[in-house]
Amino acid sequence: MTATDRSIELINAAAQAAADRLAHDIIAYDVSDVLSITDAFLLASAPNDRQVKSIVDEIEERLQKELGVKPVRREGDRDARWILLDYVDIVIHVQHSEERVFYALERLWKDCPEIGLPEDALKTRGKAAEHAQLNGVPEGEQH
């Protein structure tokens, strides 16, 4: 089984919204073969809590406006270190860069196929490391 066309449409719209809000390291996985509860995961990160919230708000607004969907669940708002948006068909994780490194969700899902994303989203790959380097944080010590 593979992610439905609708799931891929949602993932691409969410990825573009995240890229427009300067998210880092956007990646999506087709998890439909290993999970029965959702088709795909989108992962993105940002260097501070305010930007995490901004990215999530933009994703939510864009999916509502363009595709007429609202999340059935939104978790993690209080600290804005890791916010999860559950749209049933897809689940979006927007994490603070430190949480992204610590929890390393990519390791869990690395055997699942990646979903192709818009060019703007692909250009975000490596931005977390670049941001850390620019701010004097040695690579690997982003916690």
Side-chain angles (χ1 to χ4, degrees), residues 41-45 82-85 91-95 105:
F41 281 165
L42 180 73
L43 311 176
S45 55
W82 180 350
I83 299 178
L84 178 143
L85 294 173
V91 175
I92 300 166
H93 300 267
V94 182
Q95 298 174 297
L105 295 178

Side-chain angles (χ1 to χ4, degrees), residues 2 14 18-20 25-26 49 60 67 70 75 84 91-92 99 104-105 113 116 118 122-123 129 142-143:
T2 58
D20 290 348
D25 301 315
I26 302 169
D49 305 351
E60 208 170 353
L67 301 171
K70 290 182 179 181
E75 294 182 6
L84 178 143
V91 175
I92 300 166
E99 269 67 14
L105 295 178
L122 295 176
K123 289 178 186 176
Q142 297 172 20
H143 308 279

Side-chain angles (χ1 to χ4, degrees), residues 21-39:
R21 288 289 178 187
L22 306 177
H24 295 169
D25 301 315
I26 302 169
I27 191 166
Y29 293 101
D30 180 338
V31 297
S32 60
D33 282 342
V34 293
L35 292 176
S36 60
I37 57 170
T38 192
D39 280 351

Side-chain angles (χ1 to χ4, degrees), residues 6 23 27-28 32 35 41 44 51 70 87 99-101 103 107 112 125 139:
R6 178 63 171 172
I27 191 166
S32 60
L35 292 176
F41 281 165
Q51 191 174 356
K70 290 182 179 181
Y87 286 90
E99 269 67 14
R100 180 87 177 256
V101 170
Y103 290 101
R107 272 199 332 252
C112 296
R125 304 279 173 90
E139 195 169 333

